[in-house]
Amino acid sequence: MIPDRDLHLDLCDDNDNAADKPEEACGVFGIYAPGQEVAKLTYFGLYALQHRGQESAGIATFDGQQLHEHRDMGLVSHVFSPEILAQLPGQLAIGHTRYSTTGSSRRCNAQPVIVETKLGKLALAHNGNLVNTAELQQYLLAKGCELNTTIDSEMIALVIREEVNAGKGWVDATISACQRCVGAFSLTIATPDGIMAIRDTNGIRPLVLGIMPDHVSHYVVASETCALDIIGADYERDVKPGELLWITEEGITAIEWAPKAEPKLCIFEMIYFARPDSWVHEESLYSYRMRLGKQLAKESFHAADIVIGVPDSGIPAAIGFSEASGIPYAEGLIKNRYVGRTFIQPTQEMREAGIRMKLNPLRDVLKGKRVIVIDDSIVRGTTSRKLVKALRDAGATEIHMRISSPPVTHPCFYGIDTDTQDQLIAATKSVAEIAEQIGVDTLAYLSWEGMLSATERNPNHFCSACFTGDYPVEIPDGIKRSKLMLEIGARG
């Protein structure tokens, strides 16, 4: 039986080894392109989305009524080979790459999810997280459904199956299922007749539509525009919040399944998760992140010799800070870009050496310098403390840390892997206390207002609950209690 809790957000109990950044859950991809090698195109799309998840990867294709699929644990390049891709023929495909969450790193949880219906098989890939899993679980168990995974994505697929088996077509069944789902979901769904792309009523997780330039009837959907770029597709538009796209041999049909949709894109997608070369709101996220740095310089200037960014996500903001402040930008940290997740645990002595397996300071750049360090966020503070020690060991005389987002004080329930509230350093300590704990001379965060104003968009069209606790989708009490430790304690 699936526990009554947030299924995607299992937590790491090892405080030393837990991630010190919020982690995205998944990347999704879908393509309708008869006559093309859809499996290979999907492979490259997932390759571009690898930053969104490194646990598992999968592709499902349809060749008429026949479904072909391959899923396994590991990176996209490890899961698929030319021989495997050759065994995935078809005119349409969807793909998925998933972030590893402790306790659920099993092959059965790899997506796409496959279910059998009376209209044929259905494959579903999901990015996001539902908050009404207990309700859906009760509904499905009452229907006699067997749950084979520990992910809410399977529940969505099973609800669609129930609606199809009750006599509805693919689109109507999917709309009915989505109306039962509460939370964040961007979906790509493959059927024998076509593919669907759907976003929840708030569009919390991203999803975009592209067109293959030499084949105007060939469409692509993906979590980010970088997955369109890699296969040469042209960005057409975002899938709207509360919208379903149905793509078949007859073309594309857009349906507003949730007329009262209200955009609430996750602001962390713009700050950190999405690749800097992905486009949101008609510009690259590199440009937005530079503006964050410029705003940060206006709000928290400090005299220094150089500005450095923490690779990779802190670099655009560092460049923006440098431009606005007039302090020279320098590369003070070199990232080993070939280091992924390792299952070989370092010794305690190696751990104490810091984080140099991934980041190594440039001593001749840092020695004798007053340094401003730009990072995108501080979640637990463990990585920041090790980083600061490494910079001091390299000879930096002063370290002034600047964060290009506000303090993270509340956990996410919509598909981001964050700690319980009592493990979020900014929820329990003041800025001065955090500065002391991580060992910097000064520390400053970007203001919430500055973060939103830098979007140059309607600030009400973003979810920033991790900074404010103002959740756009109501969270059931049982799930709240699992993460909002401080609020529960205060009320008790």
Coordinates of all heavy atoms in Angstrom, one line a residue, residues 394-481:
A394 N 42.4 28.6 0.4 CA 43.1 29.1 -0.9 C 43.6 30.5 -0.8 O 44.2 31.0 -1.7 CB 42.1 29.0 -2.0
G395 N 43.4 31.2 0.4 CA 44.0 32.4 0.6 C 43.1 33.7 0.5 O 43.6 34.8 0.6
A396 N 41.8 33.5 0.4 CA 40.9 34.6 0.4 C 40.9 35.3 1.7 O 40.8 34.6 2.8 CB 39.5 34.2 0.0
T397 N 41.1 36.6 1.7 CA 41.2 37.3 3.0 C 39.8 37.7 3.6 O 39.7 37.8 4.8 CB 42.0 38.6 2.9 OG1 41.4 39.5 1.8 CG2 43.5 38.3 2.5
E398 N 38.9 38.0 2.7 CA 37.5 38.3 3.1 C 36.6 37.5 2.2 O 36.8 37.4 1.0 CB 37.2 39.8 3.1 CG 37.9 40.6 4.0 CD 37.6 42.1 3.9 OE1 36.5 42.4 3.2 OE2 38.3 43.0 4.4
I399 N 35.5 37.0 2.7 CA 34.5 36.3 1.9 C 33.1 36.9 2.2 O 32.6 36.8 3.4 CB 34.5 34.8 2.2 CG1 35.8 34.2 1.8 CG2 33.4 34.1 1.3 CD1 36.0 32.8 2.2
H400 N 32.5 37.5 1.2 CA 31.2 38.1 1.4 C 30.2 37.3 0.4 O 30.3 37.4 -0.8 CB 31.2 39.6 1.0 CG 32.2 40.3 1.8 ND1 32.0 40.8 3.0 CD2 33.5 40.7 1.4 CE1 33.1 41.4 3.5 NE2 34.0 41.3 2.5
M401 N 29.3 36.6 1.0 CA 28.4 35.7 0.2 C 27.1 36.5 -0.1 O 26.5 37.1 0.8 CB 28.1 34.4 0.9 CG 27.3 33.5 0.0 SD 27.3 31.7 0.6 CE 28.9 31.2 0.0
R402 N 26.7 36.4 -1.3 CA 25.5 37.0 -1.8 C 24.7 35.9 -2.5 O 25.2 35.2 -3.4 CB 25.7 38.2 -2.7 CG 26.5 39.3 -2.1 CD 25.7 40.0 -1.0 NE 26.4 41.1 -0.3 CZ 27.1 41.0 0.8 NH1 27.2 39.8 1.4 NH2 27.6 42.1 1.4
I403 N 23.4 35.9 -2.2 CA 22.5 34.8 -2.7 C 21.4 35.5 -3.6 O 20.7 36.4 -3.2 CB 21.8 34.1 -1.5 CG1 22.8 33.5 -0.5 CG2 20.9 32.9 -2.1 CD1 23.9 32.6 -1.1
S404 N 21.3 34.9 -4.8 CA 20.4 35.6 -5.8 C 19.0 35.1 -5.7 O 18.3 35.1 -6.7 CB 21.0 35.3 -7.2 OG 21.0 33.9 -7.5
S405 N 18.6 34.7 -4.5 CA 17.2 34.4 -4.2 C 16.9 34.7 -2.7 O 17.9 34.9 -2.0 CB 16.8 33.0 -4.5 OG 17.6 32.1 -3.7
P406 N 15.7 34.8 -2.3 CA 15.4 35.1 -0.9 C 15.7 33.8 0.0 O 16.0 32.7 -0.6 CB 13.9 35.4 -0.8 CG 13.6 35.7 -2.2 CD 14.5 34.9 -3.1
P407 N 15.7 33.9 1.3 CA 15.9 32.7 2.1 C 14.8 31.7 1.9 O 13.6 32.0 1.9 CB 15.8 33.3 3.6 CG 16.2 34.8 3.4 CD 15.6 35.2 2.1
V408 N 15.2 30.4 1.8 CA 14.3 29.3 1.6 C 13.8 28.9 3.0 O 14.5 28.4 3.8 CB 14.9 28.1 0.9 CG1 13.9 27.0 0.9 CG2 15.4 28.5 -0.5
T409 N 12.5 29.2 3.3 CA 12.0 29.0 4.7 C 10.9 28.0 4.7 O 10.5 27.5 5.8 CB 11.4 30.3 5.2 OG1 10.4 30.8 4.3 CG2 12.5 31.4 5.4
H410 N 10.4 27.5 3.6 CA 9.3 26.6 3.5 C 9.6 25.5 2.5 O 10.1 25.7 1.4 CB 8.0 27.3 3.2 CG 7.4 28.1 4.3 ND1 8.0 29.3 4.7 CD2 6.4 27.9 5.1 CE1 7.3 29.8 5.7 NE2 6.4 29.0 6.0
P411 N 9.2 24.2 2.8 CA 9.4 23.1 1.8 C 8.4 23.2 0.7 O 7.3 23.9 0.8 CB 9.1 21.9 2.7 CG 8.1 22.4 3.7 CD 8.5 23.8 4.0
C412 N 8.8 22.5 -0.4 CA 7.9 22.5 -1.6 C 7.1 21.2 -1.6 O 7.6 20.1 -1.1 CB 8.8 22.5 -2.9 SG 7.8 22.4 -4.4
F413 N 5.9 21.3 -2.1 CA 5.0 20.1 -2.2 C 4.7 19.8 -3.6 O 3.8 18.9 -3.9 CB 3.7 20.3 -1.4 CG 3.9 20.5 0.1 CD1 4.1 21.7 0.7 CD2 4.0 19.4 0.9 CE1 4.3 21.9 2.0 CE2 4.2 19.5 2.3 CZ 4.4 20.8 2.8
Y414 N 5.3 20.5 -4.6 CA 4.9 20.4 -6.0 C 5.9 19.8 -6.9 O 5.9 20.1 -8.1 CB 4.5 21.8 -6.5 CG 3.5 22.5 -5.6 CD1 3.7 23.8 -5.2 CD2 2.3 21.9 -5.1 CE1 2.8 24.5 -4.5 CE2 1.4 22.5 -4.3 CZ 1.6 23.9 -4.0 OH 0.7 24.5 -3.2
G415 N 6.8 19.0 -6.3 CA 7.7 18.3 -7.2 C 9.2 18.6 -7.0 O 10.0 18.2 -7.8
I416 N 9.5 19.4 -6.0 CA 10.9 19.7 -5.7 C 11.3 18.9 -4.4 O 10.5 18.9 -3.4 CB 11.1 21.2 -5.5 CG1 10.8 21.9 -6.8 CG2 12.6 21.5 -5.1 CD1 10.8 23.5 -6.6
D417 N 12.5 18.3 -4.4 CA 12.9 17.6 -3.3 C 13.6 18.5 -2.3 O 14.7 19.0 -2.5 CB 13.9 16.5 -3.7 CG 14.4 15.6 -2.6 OD1 13.7 15.7 -1.5 OD2 15.4 14.9 -2.8
T418 N 12.8 18.9 -1.2 CA 13.4 19.8 -0.2 C 13.2 19.1 1.2 O 12.3 18.3 1.3 CB 12.7 21.2 -0.2 OG1 11.3 21.0 -0.1 CG2 13.1 22.0 -1.4
D419 N 14.0 19.6 2.1 CA 13.9 19.0 3.5 C 12.6 19.4 4.2 O 11.9 20.3 3.7 CB 15.1 19.5 4.3 CG 16.4 18.7 4.0 OD1 16.3 17.5 3.9 OD2 17.4 19.4 3.9
T420 N 12.4 18.8 5.3 CA 11.4 19.3 6.2 C 11.8 20.7 6.7 O 12.9 21.0 6.7 CB 11.2 18.3 7.4 OG1 12.5 18.2 8.1 CG2 10.6 17.0 7.0
Q421 N 10.8 21.4 7.2 CA 11.1 22.8 7.4 C 12.1 23.0 8.5 O 12.9 23.9 8.4 CB 9.8 23.5 7.9 CG 9.9 25.0 7.9 CD 8.6 25.6 8.3 OE1 7.7 25.0 9.0 NE2 8.4 26.9 8.0
D422 N 12.2 22.1 9.5 CA 13.2 22.3 10.5 C 14.6 22.0 10.1 O 15.6 22.4 10.8 CB 12.9 21.4 11.7 CG 12.9 19.9 11.4 OD1 12.6 19.6 10.2 OD2 13.1 19.1 12.3
Q423 N 14.8 21.5 8.8 CA 16.1 21.3 8.3 C 16.5 22.4 7.3 O 17.7 22.5 6.8 CB 16.2 20.0 7.5 CG 16.0 18.7 8.4 CD 17.2 18.6 9.4 OE1 18.3 18.7 9.0 NE2 16.9 18.4 10.6
L424 N 15.6 23.4 7.1 CA 15.9 24.5 6.2 C 16.6 25.6 7.1 O 16.0 26.1 8.0 CB 14.7 25.0 5.5 CG 13.9 24.1 4.7 CD1 12.6 24.7 4.2 CD2 14.8 23.6 3.5
I425 N 17.8 25.9 6.8 CA 18.6 26.7 7.7 C 18.0 28.1 7.9 O 18.0 28.6 9.0 CB 20.1 26.9 7.2 CG1 21.0 27.5 8.3 CG2 20.2 27.6 5.9 CD1 22.4 27.4 8.0
A426 N 17.4 28.7 6.9 CA 16.8 30.0 7.0 C 15.5 30.0 7.8 O 15.0 31.1 8.2 CB 16.6 30.6 5.6
A427 N 14.9 28.8 8.0 CA 13.7 28.7 8.8 C 14.0 28.7 10.3 O 13.1 29.0 11.1 CB 12.9 27.5 8.4
T428 N 15.2 28.5 10.6 CA 15.5 28.3 12.1 C 16.6 29.4 12.5 O 16.8 29.5 13.7 CB 16.1 26.9 12.4 OG1 17.2 26.7 11.6 CG2 15.0 25.9 12.0
K429 N 17.2 30.1 11.6 CA 18.3 31.0 11.9 C 18.1 32.3 11.2 O 17.6 32.4 10.1 CB 19.7 30.4 11.6 CG 20.0 29.1 12.4 CD 21.4 28.6 12.0 CE 21.7 27.3 12.7 NZ 21.6 27.4 14.2
S430 N 18.6 33.4 11.8 CA 18.7 34.7 11.2 C 19.8 34.7 10.2 O 20.7 33.8 10.2 CB 18.9 35.8 12.3 OG 20.2 35.6 12.8
V431 N 19.8 35.8 9.4 CA 20.9 35.9 8.4 C 22.2 36.0 9.1 O 23.2 35.4 8.6 CB 20.6 37.2 7.5 CG1 21.8 37.4 6.6 CG2 19.3 37.0 6.7
A432 N 22.3 36.7 10.2 CA 23.5 36.9 10.9 C 24.0 35.5 11.5 O 25.2 35.2 11.4 CB 23.4 37.9 12.1
E433 N 23.0 34.7 11.9 CA 23.4 33.4 12.5 C 23.8 32.4 11.4 O 24.8 31.6 11.5 CB 22.2 32.8 13.2 CG 21.9 33.5 14.5 CD 20.5 33.0 15.1 OE1 19.6 32.6 14.3 OE2 20.4 33.1 16.3
I434 N 23.2 32.6 10.2 CA 23.6 31.7 9.1 C 25.1 32.1 8.6 O 25.9 31.3 8.4 CB 22.7 31.9 7.9 CG1 21.3 31.4 8.3 CG2 23.2 31.1 6.7 CD1 20.2 31.7 7.2
A435 N 25.3 33.4 8.6 CA 26.7 33.9 8.2 C 27.7 33.3 9.2 O 28.8 32.9 8.7 CB 26.7 35.4 8.2
E436 N 27.4 33.3 10.4 CA 28.3 32.8 11.4 C 28.5 31.3 11.2 O 29.7 30.8 11.3 CB 27.9 33.1 12.8 CG 28.8 32.6 13.9 CD 28.3 32.9 15.3 OE1 27.2 33.5 15.5 OE2 29.0 32.6 16.3
Q437 N 27.4 30.6 10.9 CA 27.5 29.1 10.8 C 28.3 28.7 9.6 O 29.1 27.8 9.6 CB 26.1 28.5 10.7 CG 26.2 27.0 10.6 CD 24.9 26.3 10.9 OE1 24.2 26.7 11.9 NE2 24.5 25.3 10.2
I438 N 28.2 29.4 8.5 CA 28.9 29.0 7.2 C 30.3 29.7 7.2 O 31.1 29.3 6.3 CB 28.1 29.3 6.0 CG1 27.9 30.8 5.8 CG2 26.7 28.6 6.0 CD1 27.1 31.1 4.5
G439 N 30.5 30.6 8.0 CA 31.9 31.2 8.2 C 32.2 32.3 7.2 O 33.4 32.6 6.9
V440 N 31.2 33.1 6.8 CA 31.5 34.3 5.9 C 31.6 35.5 6.7 O 31.1 35.6 7.9 CB 30.4 34.4 4.8 CG1 30.5 33.2 3.9 CG2 29.0 34.6 5.5
D441 N 32.3 36.5 6.1 CA 32.3 37.8 6.8 C 31.0 38.6 6.8 O 30.6 39.2 7.7 CB 33.4 38.7 6.1 CG 34.8 38.1 6.3 OD1 35.4 38.3 7.4 OD2 35.3 37.4 5.4
T442 N 30.3 38.5 5.6 CA 29.0 39.1 5.5 C 28.1 38.1 4.6 O 28.7 37.4 3.8 CB 28.9 40.5 4.9 OG1 29.3 40.4 3.6 CG2 29.8 41.4 5.7
L443 N 26.8 38.2 4.8 CA 25.9 37.4 4.0 C 24.7 38.3 3.7 O 24.2 39.0 4.6 CB 25.5 36.2 4.8 CG 24.3 35.4 4.2 CD1 24.7 34.7 2.8 CD2 23.8 34.3 5.2
A444 N 24.2 38.2 2.5 CA 23.0 38.9 2.1 C 22.2 38.1 1.1 O 22.8 37.5 0.2 CB 23.2 40.4 1.6
Y445 N 20.9 38.2 1.2 CA 20.0 37.5 0.2 C 19.3 38.6 -0.6 O 19.1 39.7 -0.2 CB 18.9 36.7 0.9 CG 19.4 35.5 1.7 CD1 19.8 35.6 3.0 CD2 19.2 34.2 1.1 CE1 20.2 34.4 3.7 CE2 19.6 33.1 1.8 CZ 20.1 33.2 3.1 OH 20.4 32.1 3.8
L446 N 18.9 38.2 -1.8 CA 18.1 39.0 -2.7 C 16.7 39.1 -2.0 O 16.2 38.2 -1.4 CB 18.0 38.4 -4.1 CG 17.2 39.2 -5.1 CD1 17.8 40.6 -5.4 CD2 17.0 38.4 -6.4
S447 N 16.1 40.3 -2.1 CA 14.8 40.4 -1.6 C 13.7 39.7 -2.4 O 14.0 39.5 -3.6 CB 14.4 41.9 -1.5 OG 14.2 42.5 -2.8
W448 N 12.6 39.3 -1.8 CA 11.5 38.7 -2.5 C 11.0 39.6 -3.6 O 10.8 39.2 -4.8 CB 10.5 38.3 -1.5 CG 9.2 37.7 -2.1 CD1 9.1 36.4 -2.5 CD2 7.9 38.3 -2.3 NE1 7.8 36.1 -3.0 CE2 7.1 37.3 -2.8 CE3 7.4 39.5 -2.0 CZ2 5.8 37.5 -3.1 CZ3 6.1 39.8 -2.3 CH2 5.3 38.8 -2.9
E449 N 10.9 40.9 -3.3 CA 10.4 41.9 -4.3 C 11.4 42.0 -5.4 O 11.0 42.1 -6.6 CB 10.2 43.2 -3.6 CG 9.1 43.2 -2.6 CD 9.6 42.8 -1.2 OE1 10.8 42.4 -1.0 OE2 8.7 42.7 -0.3
G450 N 12.7 42.0 -5.1 CA 13.7 42.1 -6.2 C 13.7 40.9 -7.1 O 13.8 41.1 -8.3
M451 N 13.5 39.7 -6.5 CA 13.5 38.5 -7.3 C 12.3 38.6 -8.3 O 12.5 38.2 -9.5 CB 13.3 37.3 -6.4 CG 13.1 36.0 -7.1 SD 12.6 34.7 -5.9 CE 11.0 35.2 -5.4
L452 N 11.1 39.0 -7.9 CA 10.0 39.0 -8.7 C 10.0 40.2 -9.7 O 9.6 40.0 -10.9 CB 8.7 39.1 -7.9 CG 8.4 37.8 -7.1 CD1 7.2 38.0 -6.2 CD2 8.1 36.6 -8.0
S453 N 10.5 41.3 -9.3 CA 10.6 42.4 -10.2 C 11.6 42.2 -11.4 O 11.4 42.6 -12.5 CB 11.0 43.7 -9.5 OG 12.4 43.6 -9.0
A454 N 12.6 41.4 -11.1 CA 13.6 41.0 -12.2 C 12.9 40.2 -13.3 O 13.5 40.1 -14.4 CB 14.8 40.3 -11.6
T455 N 11.8 39.5 -13.0 CA 11.1 38.7 -14.0 C 10.6 39.6 -15.1 O 10.3 39.2 -16.2 CB 10.0 37.9 -13.4 OG1 8.9 38.7 -13.0 CG2 10.5 37.0 -12.3
E456 N 10.3 40.9 -14.7 CA 9.6 41.8 -15.6 C 8.3 41.3 -16.1 O 7.9 41.6 -17.2 CB 10.6 42.2 -16.8 CG 11.9 42.9 -16.3 CD 12.8 43.2 -17.4 OE1 12.6 42.8 -18.6 OE2 13.8 43.9 -17.2
R457 N 7.6 40.5 -15.3 CA 6.3 40.0 -15.5 C 5.4 40.2 -14.4 O 5.9 40.7 -13.3 CB 6.4 38.5 -15.8 CG 7.2 38.1 -17.1 CD 6.4 38.3 -18.3 NE 7.2 38.4 -19.5 CZ 6.7 38.2 -20.8 NH1 5.4 38.0 -20.9 NH2 7.5 38.3 -21.8
N458 N 4.2 39.8 -14.5 CA 3.2 39.9 -13.4 C 3.7 39.1 -12.2 O 3.8 37.9 -12.4 CB 1.8 39.5 -13.9 CG 0.8 39.7 -12.8 OD1 1.0 39.8 -11.6 ND2 -0.5 39.8 -13.2
P459 N 4.0 39.7 -11.1 CA 4.6 38.9 -10.0 C 3.6 37.8 -9.5 O 4.0 36.9 -8.8 CB 4.9 39.9 -8.9 CG 4.1 41.1 -9.3 CD 3.9 41.1 -10.8
N460 N 2.3 38.0 -9.7 CA 1.3 37.1 -9.2 C 1.2 35.8 -10.1 O 0.5 34.9 -9.7 CB -0.1 37.8 -9.2 CG -0.2 38.9 -8.3 OD1 0.3 38.8 -7.1 ND2 -0.8 40.0 -8.7
H461 N 2.0 35.8 -11.1 CA 2.0 34.6 -12.0 C 3.1 33.6 -11.7 O 3.4 32.7 -12.5 CB 2.1 35.0 -13.5 CG 0.9 35.7 -14.0 ND1 0.8 36.2 -15.3 CD2 -0.3 35.9 -13.4 CE1 -0.5 36.7 -15.4 NE2 -1.1 36.5 -14.3
F462 N 3.7 33.7 -10.5 CA 4.7 32.8 -10.1 C 4.4 32.2 -8.7 O 3.8 32.8 -7.9 CB 6.1 33.5 -10.0 CG 6.5 34.1 -11.3 CD1 6.3 35.4 -11.6 CD2 7.3 33.3 -12.2 CE1 6.7 35.9 -12.8 CE2 7.7 33.8 -13.4 CZ 7.4 35.1 -13.7
C463 N 4.8 30.9 -8.5 CA 4.8 30.3 -7.2 C 6.1 30.5 -6.5 O 7.1 30.2 -7.0 CB 4.5 28.8 -7.3 SG 4.6 27.9 -5.7
S464 N 6.0 31.2 -5.4 CA 7.2 31.4 -4.6 C 7.0 31.0 -3.2 O 7.5 31.6 -2.2 CB 7.6 32.9 -4.6 OG 6.6 33.7 -4.1
A465 N 6.3 29.9 -3.0 CA 5.9 29.4 -1.7 C 7.1 29.0 -0.8 O 7.0 29.1 0.4 CB 4.9 28.2 -1.8
C466 N 8.2 28.6 -1.5 CA 9.3 28.1 -0.7 C 9.9 29.3 0.1 O 10.7 29.1 1.0 CB 10.3 27.4 -1.5 SG 10.8 28.3 -3.0
F467 N 9.6 30.5 -0.4 CA 10.1 31.7 0.3 C 9.1 32.4 1.2 O 9.5 33.1 2.1 CB 10.6 32.8 -0.7 CG 11.5 32.3 -1.8 CD1 11.2 32.3 -3.1 CD2 12.8 31.8 -1.4 CE1 12.1 31.8 -4.1 CE2 13.7 31.3 -2.4 CZ 13.3 31.3 -3.7
T468 N 7.8 32.1 1.0 CA 6.8 32.8 1.7 C 5.8 31.9 2.5 O 5.2 32.4 3.4 CB 5.9 33.6 0.7 OG1 5.2 32.7 -0.1 CG2 6.8 34.6 -0.1
G469 N 5.7 30.6 2.1 CA 4.7 29.8 2.7 C 3.3 30.0 2.2 O 2.4 29.4 2.7
D470 N 3.2 30.8 1.1 CA 1.9 31.0 0.5 C 1.7 30.0 -0.6 O 2.1 30.3 -1.8 CB 1.9 32.5 0.0 CG 0.5 32.8 -0.6 OD1 -0.5 32.0 -0.4 OD2 0.4 33.9 -1.3
Y471 N 1.1 28.9 -0.3 CA 1.0 27.8 -1.3 C -0.2 28.0 -2.2 O -1.3 28.2 -1.7 CB 0.9 26.5 -0.6 CG 2.1 26.1 0.2 CD1 2.2 26.3 1.6 CD2 3.2 25.5 -0.5 CE1 3.3 25.9 2.3 CE2 4.3 25.2 0.2 CZ 4.4 25.4 1.6 OH 5.5 25.1 2.3
P472 N 0.0 28.1 -3.5 CA -1.2 28.3 -4.4 C -2.2 27.2 -4.5 O -3.3 27.4 -4.9 CB -0.5 28.5 -5.8 CG 0.8 27.8 -5.7 CD 1.2 27.9 -4.3
V473 N -1.7 26.0 -4.2 CA -2.6 24.8 -4.2 C -2.7 24.3 -2.7 O -1.7 24.1 -2.1 CB -2.1 23.7 -5.1 CG1 -3.1 22.5 -5.0 CG2 -2.0 24.1 -6.5
E474 N -3.9 24.2 -2.2 CA -4.1 23.9 -0.8 C -3.4 22.5 -0.5 O -3.6 21.5 -1.2 CB -5.5 23.9 -0.4 CG -5.8 23.6 1.1 CD -7.3 23.7 1.4 OE1 -8.1 24.0 0.6 OE2 -7.6 23.4 2.6
I475 N -2.7 22.4 0.6 CA -2.0 21.2 1.0 C -2.8 20.5 2.1 O -3.1 21.1 3.1 CB -0.6 21.5 1.5 CG1 0.2 22.5 0.6 CG2 0.2 20.2 1.7 CD1 0.4 21.9 -0.8
P476 N -3.2 19.2 1.9 CA -3.9 18.5 2.9 C -3.1 18.4 4.2 O -1.9 18.4 4.2 CB -4.1 17.1 2.3 CG -4.0 17.3 0.8 CD -3.0 18.4 0.6
D477 N -3.8 18.3 5.3 CA -3.2 18.4 6.6 C -2.2 17.3 6.8 O -1.1 17.5 7.4 CB -4.2 18.3 7.7 CG -5.0 19.6 7.9 OD1 -4.5 20.7 7.4 OD2 -6.2 19.6 8.4
G478 N -2.4 16.1 6.4 CA -1.5 15.0 6.6 C -0.2 15.2 5.9 O 0.9 14.9 6.5
I479 N -0.2 15.8 4.7 CA 1.1 16.1 4.0 C 1.7 17.3 4.7 O 3.0 17.4 4.9 CB 0.8 16.4 2.5 CG1 0.3 15.1 1.9 CG2 2.1 16.8 1.8 CD1 0.0 15.3 0.4
K480 N 1.0 18.3 5.1 CA 1.5 19.5 5.8 C 2.3 19.0 7.0 O 3.4 19.5 7.3 CB 0.4 20.4 6.2 CG -0.1 21.4 5.2 CD -1.1 22.3 5.8 CE -1.7 23.3 4.8 NZ -2.7 24.2 5.4
R481 N 1.7 18.1 7.8 CA 2.4 17.7 9.0 C 3.7 17.0 8.8 O 4.6 17.0 9.6 CB 1.5 16.8 9.8 CG 0.3 17.5 10.5 CD -0.3 16.6 11.5 NE -1.0 15.5 10.9 CZ -2.2 15.4 10.5 NH1 -3.0 16.5 10.6 NH2 -2.7 14.4 10.0

